[in-house]
Amino acid sequence: MRSHTLSVRTDPAVIDLLGALAYGELTAFARLAEDARLAPTLSGKAALSQMAAAEIGHYALLHREIGVRGGDTERAMAPFVAAIDAFHDSTRPSSWLEGLVKAYVGDGLAADFYREVAQFLDPSTKQLVLDVLADTGHADFAVREVRTATAVDPAVAGRLALWARRLVGEALTQSQRVFAERDGVAELIIDGTGDLAGVAALLKRITTAHSVRMQALGLST
Amino acid sequence: MRSHTLSVRTDPAVIDLLGALAYGELTAFARLAEDARLAPTLSGKAALSQMAAAEIGHYALLHREIGVRGGDTERAMAPFVAAIDAFHDSTRPSSWLEGLVKAYVGDGLAADFYREVAQFLDPSTKQLVLDVLADTGHADFAVREVRTATAVDPAVAGRLALWARRLVGEALTQSQRVFAERDGVAELIIDGTGDLAGVAALLKRITTAHSVRMQALGLST
């Protein structure tokens, strides 16, 4: 009889999942740091830079976890480089506000996905992931800045709502690409949620949380 | 009679100094994040990104400190934007190794300067600055990578040593520009060290520490 932890340690799909998350964090860092240059003020630049820095904290956690499980972070990330790079290349913000919406919406979607995935992991890893996610709060400034801008010019809200829809669409496209190529990851999520109805419920929870964020930004449609 | 802390709180030169350090950290973050793209491996990219993230931690500390002293971070940074941007614009790494040397040498010089300046501040701020500086250690990988590269091709060492000299030269040029424009900062350092002999001793300590770092990199000449 294998212990649950040992079984997790040796499941290549878990390493895959952690590798995908790790590369996601590493790229989120680089893109947020780049988008911070669009900031009209130095404090805006600092705020987005701080969001970027938080992503690297998550990366460090995932890197350690992959090592504990006997994996190699670089190898674990490799299969997901193309899909995640494609997401970012197709969603380059052309303005500071687009950058903020991407940071807030993207960070939120990623965090929700993390929280769901944490449920499939052994208790200590689960707690570690949830603890890291509790350490956010840099996103409030994004909400404030976007709400201020849309209050000044309501037409901005419509354009940003479209932009947010495009972000979600591209995220779904690239996720499907990953699931199609990596059967193990798809199975892990199906097994974790119980069945396809469980996967649908997971997607519903993530979609609902996204709508709440869009309302917080004042971009609900 | 004013307390030492109150006197520090109201001294505009201290706000100037903290503002210069804050903008230095903010730009170090952005430039390191940018230079991380030169990394030949994902783990190298992650390591340099983690150095960048540490700079933002320092920025957050300085921002809080400026606020406690009744200053505004954005206003405090403004006078130093031109000089610090000029330093980075004139020292863009053209390779991964140049990026690593800049990160290691630049981070080291900045940390030494911090430690010196911390001596002029009130005890609680001094301790805070020293605590933050103790939280490094991401730089070891830079040393390893540079030493490995120069072992493979000794000619690389000569070119990197020249590059490091250029970095120090540009840092001095821009520091002198700042001191010429902001009398208060120069006076603060002269008062803090006691007199011009004290300033000379400070520069000597920083130069010696720099030589030790160059030896660690295997670039001593």
Side-chain angles (χ1 to χ4, degrees), chain A residues 37 41-43 46 56 74, chain B residues 37 42-43 46 50 56 59 74:
Chain A
R37 283 190 245 165
T41 62
L42 290 177
S43 25
I56 275 293
E74 188 133 355
Chain B
R37 282 190 246 163
L42 290 177
S43 24
Q50 277 166 327
I56 274 293
Y59 169 85
E74 188 132 357

Side-chain angles (χ1 to χ4, degrees), chain A residues 120-131:
Chain A
F120 317 150
L121 303 176
D122 56 290
S124 73
T125 313
K126 174 181 164 182
Q127 196 51 50
L128 200 62
V129 171
L130 296 178
D131 286 351

Side-chain angles (χ1 to χ4, degrees), chain A residues 110-159:
Chain A
D112 287 342
F113 183 64
Y114 259 105
R115 276 193 200 91
E116 294 285 348
V117 165
Q119 310 303 322
F120 317 150
L121 303 176
D122 56 290
S124 73
T125 313
K126 174 181 164 182
Q127 196 51 50
L128 200 62
V129 171
L130 296 178
D131 286 351
V132 167
L133 291 177
D135 168 40
T136 52
H138 293 303
D140 290 349
F141 95 98
V143 173
R144 278 198 311 274
E145 294 249 324
V146 172
R147 291 199 83 104
T148 305
T150 54
V152 172
D153 179 3
V156 167
R159 285 198 298 273

Side-chain angles (χ1 to χ4, degrees), chain A residues 79-131:
Chain A
F80 307 102
V81 168
I84 293 173
D85 283 356
F87 168 74
H88 285 293
D89 289 341
S90 62
T91 58
R92 281 188 193 277
S94 64
S95 71
W96 169 236
L97 291 175
E98 285 190 0
L100 286 179
V101 169
K102 182 175 174 183
Y104 181 69
V105 165
D107 203 56
L109 282 173
D112 287 342
F113 183 64
Y114 259 105
R115 276 193 200 91
E116 294 285 348
V117 165
Q119 310 303 322
F120 317 150
L121 303 176
D122 56 290
S124 73
T125 313
K126 174 181 164 182
Q127 196 51 50
L128 200 62
V129 171
L130 296 178
D131 286 351

Side-chain angles (χ1 to χ4, degrees), chain B residues 97 143-160 217-219:
Chain B
L97 290 174
V143 174
R144 276 197 311 275
E145 296 249 325
V146 172
R147 291 199 83 106
T148 306
T150 54
V152 172
D153 179 2
V156 167
R159 284 198 299 275
L160 290 178
L217 287 170
L219 301 182

